[in-house]
Amino acid sequence: MSGVQAVAPGVAIDALRVERGGRTVLSVPSLAVGAGAQRAIVGPSGCGKTTLLSVLAGLLPVPEGRVTVGGTDLGALAREGARALDLYRARRVGLVAQQPLLLGVLDVLDNLLAAQHLAGLRVDRGAARALLARLDLGSLERRRPRELSRGQQQRVALARALVNRPTLILADEPTANLDDANAEQALALLAERAREAGATLLVATHDARVRARFEVALAMSPAGGAPGVGVPGVGAPGAGAPADPEPRR
Amino acid sequence: MSTPRLLLAYLRARPLTTLLTVLLVALGLATVVVVTLVTRQAEARLVRDAAGVDLVVGAKGSPLQLVLAGVWHLDVPPGNVPLESLAALRANRLVASAIPLSLGDSFRGFRIVGTEPGYLALHGATLARGRVFEAPMQAVVGARVAAETGLGPGARFVGTHGLAPGGPEHGDAPYEVVGVLAPTGGVVDRLVLTPLESIWLTHEGEPSDEAERRILEAEREITLVLVRYASPIAAATLPRAINASERLQAASPAFESARLLRLVGVGVDGLRAFGALVLAIAALSVFVALFQALSDRRRELALMRLLGASPARLFGLLLAEGLALTAIGVVLGLAIGHGAVEAAGRWLALRGEWTLTGLDFDTIEWAYAAGALALGGVAALVPAWLAARTPLAAALPDA
């Protein structure tokens, strides 16, 4: 474990609690994932997985506790202003959801370029096209999302998530609605691209097929309850200690 | 990728709504533009034809009728006045110039006007061919008259009694054309000009002796006199003095044309209001289109937020969409408005009537265009504000 601690922290959570309407919808006492690690967050539907990803993605402010991603304190970032959180989300996080997160009026290539543009980054057509080519989407550059198959849409959505070279890739139920072959392919692609980009990958799922592939960093109990103590993957205690209890793959 | 491209993609995503909104803006603006151009050119023409005429002096009757007959040749004159009135006016030191007109005859619907060469100078008319009339029964014809009747120097024609075609002909007294005028774009194009004497000769019988000739000459009349003031003081005193006389009436073209435009203005204002109404409906259409887009695009707007767009960015995007819809409509509306006036102008030119051109531009059109744009922007404000408030959570449906 001492060797792991030298690695830059990927994701570290300490005493995170999210309330909605006076009810605790998410409580994560501790979680630590090393940079570049690939982990699963498991739990049944409605246990707060999406809420956790929303916090990590900077979609929700950190209400209580401390969350750092790649050394950046998200709570401090939110206090800097909404714009800082917008840019963090756009530039450092790649989000892949159950629904392909694509702009319907734009073609495949423009979706990638729009992601660069809206993140305030230089529009790099060459990089976007190279990325599409690597994902075997080169021939679909000028298609609209609705003209593509479900699997193709997900691949485009992945390309869109990768285009700004994020340090953290968050996948929310990426295998839902996919058959075994497609699910396996999607997960392999996700893992491969994340490794290639050197990004930390967190996959939130209730799908057993995902558990089979990734080590579980956090197992959540239903209805936003506290995560089961003793489940492999729940981070070691210690505020802000970016420790990864599991050996890295 | 750039903001305009993003905008264009959204406009093209819903071609029917976009087209409808753009057309409404265009038609509203086109209506206002057409009304503006036509009234402006009509007014310009009225003013130009009345240039240099401060006062029309003629028989008692309606002052508007007197001006319509004497300046624009649109109405029949109220009656005649004795020839001495001309001499009396010329003797008045408040009068700089007085040009007599004798009306009553026509040739194929074109008015034959007995006058003096000074009338040509008044209208800035120049000869295209031939020379100015020098003797009775010689005539100079306007450009339009020459073009439509084929009259040219050397040609002879017979006048018809009355101002409408089809009256009895003055068969015994033919005119000889000695000159053709260059087009002026004014009323002179449609006139046949001849010395005053021609009119008298056509209407008087041949005197049997010297005594009868003198009687006839003493009874000679003219229809009206176009007066130019010698000094501004004349405007205050001369009309009143003339109107106090028993037979004469003085009417000011400036005053009467203002009165005429006020009468016509009610209809013009109605048309303008109609155009404004269409523009208001267009603004409503912009609002509806964007409001609809808001619900259709809730997820996409949230996704843009997810991709880093600030709320201000979304506000700007929707506002720009409203402005773009209006701007395209404005450009199209200006084109349609000017095109329609030009088309109407060409059609009227074929029939030899009013000259209209779509190549005219009134600076107030800038104001109309800016107003339409502002209206589109205002209509976009509420949807844009709502778009800016799109919650980020809408991008990720809660699992």
Side-chain angles (χ1 to χ4, degrees):
Chain A
M1 290 245 282
S2 60
V4 174
Q5 288 201 312
V7 177
V11 174
I13 295 177
D14 185 41
L16 170 66
R17 225 163 65 84
V18 178
E19 280 186 14
R20 201 172 293 149
R23 203 172 67 87
T24 301
V25 292
L26 175 70
S27 170
V28 181
S30 177
L31 171 73
V33 177
Q38 303 191 340
R39 295 290 183 271
I41 294 168
V42 298
S45 294
C47 70
K49 295 192 300 289
T50 298
T51 305
L52 176 56
L53 290 197
S54 297
V55 169
L56 287 173
L59 291 170
L60 286 178
V62 181
E64 198 184 317
R66 188 176 148 88
V67 177
T68 60
V69 173
T72 303
D73 185 329
L74 296 192
L77 206 58
R79 282 189 292 279
E80 265 178 48
R83 192 71 202 129
L85 212 55
D86 282 350
L87 291 180
Y88 157 77
R89 181 170 62 240
R91 297 178 179 176
R92 306 225 358 231
V93 180
L95 193 60
V96 182
Q98 190 173 332
Q99 301 287 328
L101 297 177
L102 296 171
L103 295 170
V105 295
L106 298 180
D107 63 31
V108 167
L109 180 60
D110 278 347
N111 258 286
L112 267 60
L113 301 183
Q116 295 172 335
H117 175 64
L118 292 175
L121 299 171
R122 196 172 65 85
V123 173
D124 187 344
R125 183 174 285 263
R129 297 190 64 182
L131 180 61
L132 287 173
R134 275 212 303 287
L135 288 166
D136 284 332
L137 293 165
S139 59
L140 304 178
E141 275 178 11
R142 285 297 165 214
R143 299 278 191 86
R144 299 279 177 84
R146 64 166 180 278
E147 298 163 349
L148 304 177
S149 74
R150 183 79 191 181
Q152 287 170 332
Q153 286 179 9
Q154 271 301 4
R155 263 190 293 154
V156 174
L158 176 60
R160 207 273 304 137
L162 290 169
V163 73
N164 290 337
R165 306 178 176 283
T167 55
L168 175 63
I169 296 172
L170 299 171
D172 188 18
E173 300 285 5
T175 53
N177 312 325
L178 292 183
D179 60 28
D180 283 354
N182 270 320
E184 176 54 32
Q185 207 182 355
L187 291 176
L189 195 64
L190 201 55
E192 187 189 329
R193 295 302 153 191
R195 191 174 308 119
E196 207 174 78
T200 309
L201 172 64
L202 287 181
V203 183
T205 190
H206 66 275
D207 189 338
R209 296 173 296 193
V210 180
R211 289 176 197 245
R213 186 166 188 105
F214 299 106
E215 285 166 38
V216 173
L218 183 65
M220 303 172 78
S221 54
V229 178
V231 172
V234 170
D244 185 353
E246 300 294 327
R248 300 195 48 216
R249 292 156 64 98
Chain B
M1 183 48 52
S2 58
T3 307
R5 274 196 71 180
L6 208 55
L7 206 62
L8 196 66
Y10 277 110
L11 290 181
R12 279 168 50 181
R14 296 179 311 148
L16 255 158
T17 311
T18 300
L19 190 73
L20 180 72
T21 309
V22 163
L23 271 184
L24 273 173
V25 175
L27 290 180
L29 191 67
T31 308
V32 179
V33 165
V34 166
V35 172
T36 302
L37 287 182
V38 170
T39 51
R40 166 191 159 91
Q41 291 178 27
E43 286 181 27
R45 169 131 184 211
L46 289 184
V47 167
R48 195 179 40 183
D49 282 341
V53 180
D54 292 322
L55 206 60
V56 182
V57 179
K60 290 275 189 207
S62 147
L64 179 58
Q65 183 192 0
L66 183 62
V67 172
L68 281 172
V71 176
W72 300 305
H73 298 272
L74 290 173
D75 201 354
V76 294
N80 285 341
V81 295
L83 184 56
E84 307 91 82
S85 352
L86 176 63
L89 280 168
R90 280 180 169 158
N92 193 320
R93 60 188 175 75
L94 291 172
V95 172
S97 77
I99 299 168
L101 295 188
S102 236
L103 306 173
D105 286 356
S106 63
F107 173 66
R108 295 200 204 160
F110 295 111
R111 293 183 173 205
I112 297 172
V113 179
T115 184
E116 292 172 355
Y119 190 68
L120 295 179
L122 183 68
H123 284 281
T126 53
L127 284 157
R129 285 179 285 158
R131 54 187 171 82
V132 179
F133 50 80
E134 285 155 352
M137 301 320 289
Q138 291 184 342
V140 167
V141 299
R144 191 82 234 163
V145 181
E148 273 184 40
T149 61
L151 288 179
R156 287 178 172 274
F157 67 93
V158 173
T160 314
H161 194 69
L163 296 176
E169 291 193 346
H170 295 295
D172 46 339
Y175 287 94
E176 184 200 357
V177 178
V178 294
V180 174
L181 297 175
T184 63
V187 67
V188 140
D189 290 356
R190 304 178 52 77
L191 298 179
V192 175
L193 305 176
T194 184
L196 286 174
E197 290 82 1
S198 309
I199 310 294
W200 297 325
L201 290 178
T202 330
H203 291 84
E204 291 165 3
E206 194 67 30
S208 51
D209 56 30
E210 186 61 18
E212 193 184 337
R213 196 180 65 80
R214 255 200 297 271
I215 292 169
L216 282 174
E217 280 183 9
E219 282 177 353
R220 280 178 176 173
E221 293 182 317
I222 52 175
T223 309
L224 45 87
V225 184
L226 305 179
V227 171
R228 191 206 292 256
Y229 295 147
S231 82
I233 305 163
T237 58
L238 193 56
R240 203 179 309 164
I242 292 170
N243 285 329
S245 77
E246 222 163 273
R247 291 195 62 184
L248 297 184
Q249 158 182 241
S252 150
F255 180 79
E256 295 305 324
S257 65
R259 203 158 71 92
L260 178 66
L261 291 172
R262 260 205 311 282
L263 292 174
V264 178
V266 178
V268 169
D269 287 345
L271 277 172
R272 275 212 181 94
F274 175 75
L277 184 71
V278 177
L279 274 178
I281 293 170
L284 203 64
S285 171
V286 169
F287 175 80
V288 169
L290 294 181
F291 207 80
Q292 181 85 48
L294 210 58
S295 53
D296 292 352
R297 273 192 240 155
R298 197 177 145 77
R299 254 199 78 238
E300 298 218 343
L301 287 168
L303 181 55
M304 285 193 209
R305 290 277 290 116
L306 183 87
L307 295 179
S310 61
R313 187 69 178 271
L314 296 191
F315 183 88
L317 196 66
L318 269 269
L319 188 64
E321 200 169 326
L323 288 176
L325 281 171
T326 322
I328 299 170
V330 162
V331 172
L332 196 66
L334 288 176
I336 291 175
H338 284 264
V341 172
E342 180 67 25
R346 290 188 184 183
W347 183 72
L348 286 176
L350 285 181
R351 300 178 19 149
E353 296 183 18
W354 281 75
T355 48
L356 271 179
T357 172
L359 300 176
D360 187 27
F361 188 86
D362 193 317
T363 42
I364 198 157
E365 289 177 57
W366 289 125
Y368 292 145
L373 262 180
L375 212 56
V378 167
L381 277 181
V382 169
W385 181 72
L386 290 174
R389 286 165 48 97
T390 306
L392 266 164
L396 272 188
D398 245 329

